[in-house]
C-alpha cells in the first residue's frame, strides 16, 4: 500500500466523526485534500465547512460544499487536519503548506480536533524529520531569523511563498524540540512572529493513522 492510499484510509475513517447538520472545520494539505474529497459524499447532510486555507476553500466549493468564514461561527463540533510530524503525546508540527496560522485559528474553534496522518508522520521527537515553519511579518524576517539561530536552529526563508495572510515563512532546520509547549510559547513571544508550527497547546483529541494494515485510532 502506498502513501496516498494510507492517507485516503485515514481520511475515510474521519468521516465517521462528522455529524449531520453541522459545520465541519477543515485544515489544509494533501491528507486533508483526501478528506475533502470524501466529505463530498456527505455534502447534502452537512451545513458546510470552515476552511483553514484558500486552497481548501476552493476544493470544498468544487465538491459542492458551502464555505463559511471563521467569523460566521462561534464553535465547531470537529476540526479535521493533517500534520507534518506527530509525537506519541499527540503534539504536532504543522505548516508545510504555509497555512499554520489559519489552522490554529480554526482548530481553536473546535470541540474536537481530529488529526489524520499516514504512518510516516509519526516521530518520537518533534523536529526529527521536518523543519519547523514559523510565519513572520515580512519586515521582521531577518530579526526573527537571528533569534532562531540564537535558539539553536538553522532558519531558511521559504522564498517565493507568501501566506494567505500576506506574510513569509521561515523553516527552522536542526531543531530538536524536547519541550514543545515551552518552545511554542517562547517563539510566539518573539516580536514579528505571527505564530509557529508547533501544535502543543492545542492537542489533537484523536489521531487517525493510515497504515498498511488499515486505519488505526489513537485516543
Amino acid at each position: 500500500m502506498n502513501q496516498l492510499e494510507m492517507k485516503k484510509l485515514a481520511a475515510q475513517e474521519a468521516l465517521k466523526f462528522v455529524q449531520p447538520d453541522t459545520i465541519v472545520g477543515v485544515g489544509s494539505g494533501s491528507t486533508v485534500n483526501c478528506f475533502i474529497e470524501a466529505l463530498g459524499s456527505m455534502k447534502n447532510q452537512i451545513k458546510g465547512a470552515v476552511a483553514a486555507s484558500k486552497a481548501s476553500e476552493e476544493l470544498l466549493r468544487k465538491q459542492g460544499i458551502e464555505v463559511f468564514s471563521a467569523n460566521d461561527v462561534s464553535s465547531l463540533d470537529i476540526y479535521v487536519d493533517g500534520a507534518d510530524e506527530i509525537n506519541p503525546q499527540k503534539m504536532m508540527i504543522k505548516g508545510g503548506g504555509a497555512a499554520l496560522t489559519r489552522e490554529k485559528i480554526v482548530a481553536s474553534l473546535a470541540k474536537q480536533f481530529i488529526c489524520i496522518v499516514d504512518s510516516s508522520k509519526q516521530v518520537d521527537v518533534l523536529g526529527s524529520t521536518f523543519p519547523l515553519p514559523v510565519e513572520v511579518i515580512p519586515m521582521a524576517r531577518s530579526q526573527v531569523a537571528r533569534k532562531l539561530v540564537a535558539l539553536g536552529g538553522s532558519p531558511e526563508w521559504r522564498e517565493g511563498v507568501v501566506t494567505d495572510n500576506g506574510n513569509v515563512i521561515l523553516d527552522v532546520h536542526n531543531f530538536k524540540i524536547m519541550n514543545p509547549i515551552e518552545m511554542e510559547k517562547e517563539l510566539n513571544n518573539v516580536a514579528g512572529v505571527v505564530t509557529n508550527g508547533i501544535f502543543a497547546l492545542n492537542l489533537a483529541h484523536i489521531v487517525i493513522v493510515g497504515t498498511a494494515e488499515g486505519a488505526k485510532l489513537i485516543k
Side-chain angles (χ1 to χ4, degrees):
M1 183 176 290
N2 63 34
Q3 191 174 19
L4 178 59
E5 290 170 327
M6 289 190 282
K7 290 178 179 182
K8 288 183 175 180
L9 274 178
Q12 194 67 39
E13 187 70 20
L15 279 188
K16 296 178 182 179
F17 294 90
V18 178
Q19 297 299 312
D21 298 317
T22 61
I23 298 174
V24 182
V26 175
S28 62
S30 58
T31 310
V32 171
N33 292 346
C34 296
F35 174 72
I36 291 173
E37 184 178 349
L39 191 62
S41 66
M42 297 182 67
K43 65 183 178 183
N44 296 321
Q45 300 174 49
I46 61 174
K47 291 180 180 177
V50 172
S53 72
K54 292 178 180 178
S56 291
E57 287 180 2
E58 186 178 338
L59 289 175
L60 286 162
R61 291 191 178 102
K62 284 182 179 178
Q63 291 292 334
I65 298 169
E66 185 173 357
V67 175
F68 294 86
S69 161
N71 289 319
D72 294 331
V73 300
S74 57
S75 67
L76 297 164
D77 283 347
I78 64 167
Y79 172 66
V80 180
D81 203 354
D84 297 303
E85 286 187 343
I86 187 162
N87 71 13
Q89 292 76 42
K90 297 183 285 190
M91 299 173 178
M92 296 160 280
I93 283 182
K94 295 175 48 53
L100 56 161
T101 299
R102 294 189 180 205
E103 288 169 346
K104 281 192 176 180
I105 291 168
V106 183
S108 70
L109 286 167
K111 298 172 186 173
Q112 190 172 51
F113 182 172
I114 298 168
C115 180
I116 53 174
V117 293
D118 65 86
S119 56
S120 71
K121 303 299 191 293
Q122 294 177 291
V123 298
D124 290 325
V125 178
L126 296 181
S128 298
T129 63
F130 199 86
L132 173 67
V134 181
E135 182 166 350
V136 179
I137 300 292
M139 70 173 288
R141 175 172 55 84
S142 295
Q143 173 189 349
V144 171
R146 287 191 291 271
K147 175 65 174 177
L148 292 168
V149 169
L151 289 171
S154 301
E156 183 177 307
W157 176 24
R158 201 184 298 180
E159 290 192 65
V161 172
V162 177
T163 72
D164 288 348
N165 310 310
N167 299 313
V168 299
I169 297 289
L170 292 174
D171 291 310
V172 190
H173 298 263
N174 306 318
F175 219 24
K176 293 291 180 69
I177 303 166
M178 305 307 295
N179 192 330
I181 291 175
E182 290 307 312
M183 184 60 74
E184 182 175 1
K185 291 177 181 177
E186 182 170 5
L187 293 179
N188 283 346
N189 282 329
V190 175
V193 169
V194 180
T195 197
N196 69 86
I198 302 173
F199 279 60
L201 299 170
N202 195 348
L203 291 176
H205 297 95
I206 296 172
V207 180
I208 303 175
V209 185
T211 74
E213 291 75 40
K216 297 182 179 179
L217 269 65
I218 302 171
K219 296 183 179 181

